[in-house]
Amino acid sequence: MEPRNGSPASDDLSPISLAPYEPRPLPAREPDAAELADLLRDAIAELPALPAEDPADRYGARPVTRAWFRHMKSHQTRRSYWRGLSLWLSYCGWHRVDPLNARLADVKDWIAGLGPTSPATYNARLAAVSAWYTELINNRVHDDNPARLVARNKRDHTESLTRALTYDELVALLGYVRARAGRLRSEAALRDRAILEIMSTTGVRSGAILHARIGPDGDLGIDQGHRILRYVNKGGHRKKADVLGQAELALDDYLSVRAEREQTPAAELSGWLFATGTGRPLTQRDLANLLHTAARGAGLDAPDDVVPHSLRHSVGFLAYEQGVALEDLSDLLGHESVATTLIYVRRTRRRQTTQMLADLTSGTTPPPAAPGTSRAPADKRHLRLVQDG
């Protein structure tokens, strides 16, 4: 059988050379410029299937790929694209496909072979590969994008499917972690409580928790006399979240116990803000397991549906039902546009409208005022509050 793309026959390849490539993961927290440059230099040099780099050619596939990753504004996007591109090039290396001569059928075969995955992950993998080819085309390294015609999974971008907790569910969840922290007084239990208290009152994404550092140049600070947590949002902008009430108390309790274990004053602690007892940073899986465990312990229905992003949606859902203006809620959640915030509260707005009409048709709400007359509403907002979720 003739080898593809001019590759040598399979008999000439050793098992070692055919071993699937496993990419090194990029760190959760964005390195500084010098560290990032060194990291990308080494990581991209290891990528399979691409032509060897010519030091005299600054526009080869590898140097262009390196510059592309280096200048991405969002480290979260960099990590996602790195994973997707690495998986594609691993496929190319294994199947002896020249990525600069790949066809639509190759990309379809690759994406189908990734196995069961969520629609969002499926689309993210394709987006990474398509964006890479676009970058190569823009730099005249290549002239085709074989991923552009692969169908994406259709998603409704006007409404989120993430589960949001009702007021009673959130109270039960926090009640469980508070009772557990009070009973055990262990560093892990106090840490878990602090995490959920902060996420339940600030609405920050999990990245703000997982990437937070503590120390002289860390992410905890004081602003106008209040404790704040600094973080980088999805768009790559620096933001601040206020840590108040039970969240601040829980954070102080956790740091106090941690300082005692490390035999260091709390003000002099350094490293990851939320870490294991060995100093290892928590992972997304750790955070997901924390939510699942707390949801089960609190007796919530379908606890596996409660994910870290559920707390962010719960903040939006509950704040809106308490009358917080969309503009203020958008600012709290760090959205660049109110249109994004609407995605979080669309189900609530629809439910409120339905409830208003149900009350009106059942006779429990006074009928609309006659034309030419006015009646001051009991609630200044257009829609009534729905407290039962």
Side-chain angles (χ1 to χ4, degrees):
M1 178 177 178
E2 186 69 20
R4 302 179 61 181
N5 299 333
S7 299
S10 58
D11 291 343
D12 298 330
L13 296 175
S14 68
I16 294 178
S17 67
L18 282 176
Y21 161 75
E22 180 60 33
R24 64 168 71 188
L26 295 187
R29 184 180 176 86
E30 183 172 13
D32 63 33
E35 291 173 335
L36 179 62
D38 291 341
L39 175 64
L40 292 176
R41 181 197 63 219
D42 296 339
I44 291 173
E46 297 171 357
L47 287 173
L50 290 176
E53 183 170 351
D54 180 356
D57 182 11
R58 65 179 300 179
Y59 301 113
R62 290 184 192 269
V64 167
T65 301
R66 188 164 55 243
W68 179 55
F69 276 110
R70 185 175 181 179
H71 295 290
M72 285 182 182
K73 293 183 179 180
S74 167
H75 188 57
Q76 181 177 350
T77 301
R78 181 183 293 119
R79 296 181 72 218
S80 175
Y81 278 17
W82 171 253
R83 181 63 178 169
L85 178 62
S86 298
L87 289 172
W88 164 239
L89 293 178
S90 176
Y91 168 91
C92 290
W94 176 259
H95 292 278
R96 294 179 293 153
V97 173
D98 177 1
L100 300 183
N101 194 31
R103 307 295 176 86
L104 173 62
D106 296 316
V107 181
K108 285 185 173 181
D109 185 56
W110 162 68
I111 198 70
L114 290 182
T117 185
S118 69
T121 300
Y122 176 95
N123 289 347
R125 300 292 182 252
L126 279 176
V129 174
S130 184
W132 177 66
Y133 276 113
T134 298
E135 184 71 10
L136 297 184
I137 292 170
N138 290 342
N139 282 277
R140 303 179 186 176
V141 179
H142 195 43
D143 57 5
D144 184 39
N145 179 355
R148 74 188 189 282
L149 296 178
V150 181
R152 270 54 167 178
N153 282 318
K154 293 184 177 180
R155 297 175 59 200
D156 183 0
H157 293 282
T158 65
E159 181 174 331
S160 172
L161 299 180
T162 301
R163 175 179 174 180
L165 304 182
T166 65
Y167 170 77
D168 289 338
E169 287 177 327
L170 186 60
V171 168
L173 187 79
L174 293 176
Y176 170 80
V177 294
R178 288 169 183 171
R180 181 172 180 272
R183 182 178 69 256
L184 300 179
R185 296 300 298 176
S186 67
E187 182 178 333
L190 294 170
R191 177 202 64 205
D192 293 348
R193 180 198 168 189
I195 289 173
L196 296 193
E197 297 277 10
I198 292 173
M199 296 184 72
S200 298
T201 53
T202 63
V204 296
R205 292 182 175 87
S206 57
I209 297 297
L210 299 178
H211 303 166
R213 306 280 292 191
I214 190 172
D217 298 320
D219 298 305
L220 285 182
I222 300 293
D223 183 51
Q224 296 182 348
H226 298 291
R227 178 77 67 84
I228 60 168
L229 173 66
R230 304 182 188 92
Y231 65 98
V232 178
N233 74 354
K234 196 173 182 180
H237 303 293
R238 296 287 297 178
K239 298 286 185 179
K240 300 175 183 176
D242 294 299
V243 182
L244 306 172
Q246 289 293 323
E248 184 174 21
L249 294 176
L251 180 61
D252 287 340
D253 282 348
Y254 159 62
L255 293 178
S256 176
V257 171
R258 175 173 163 181
E260 183 177 349
R261 174 180 60 81
E262 296 186 16
Q263 298 183 341
T264 302
E268 298 178 14
L269 288 171
S270 61
W272 299 102
L273 174 57
F274 297 109
T276 66
T278 60
R280 178 184 64 82
L282 299 182
T283 65
Q284 187 70 35
R285 179 171 294 182
D286 292 331
L287 201 53
N289 289 338
L290 166 58
L291 263 295
H292 293 159
T293 300
R296 283 192 291 270
L300 271 57
D301 293 333
D304 289 343
D305 291 341
V306 181
V307 296
H309 213 58
S310 292
L311 296 183
R312 182 169 169 82
H313 278 263
S314 302
V315 167
F317 163 74
L318 295 172
Y320 181 78
E321 289 212 331
Q322 290 301 309
V324 175
L326 275 175
E327 292 80 4
D328 294 333
L329 184 54
S330 181
D331 181 62
L332 173 70
L333 296 176
H335 290 153
E336 299 297 321
S337 169
V338 173
T340 305
T341 312
L342 281 171
I343 296 173
Y344 282 56
V345 300
R346 192 173 300 278
R347 280 178 289 173
T348 304
R349 290 162 66 90
R350 187 170 60 239
R351 188 183 302 114
Q352 288 177 338
T353 302
T354 303
Q355 185 67 60
M356 178 191 70
L357 294 171
D359 290 349
L360 186 65
T361 56
S362 67
T364 59
T365 299
T373 64
S374 62
R375 181 180 69 241
D379 190 335
K380 293 182 179 180
R381 285 171 298 143
H382 175 61
L383 301 179
R384 66 186 292 275
L385 290 178
V386 181
Q387 298 293 351
D388 60 3

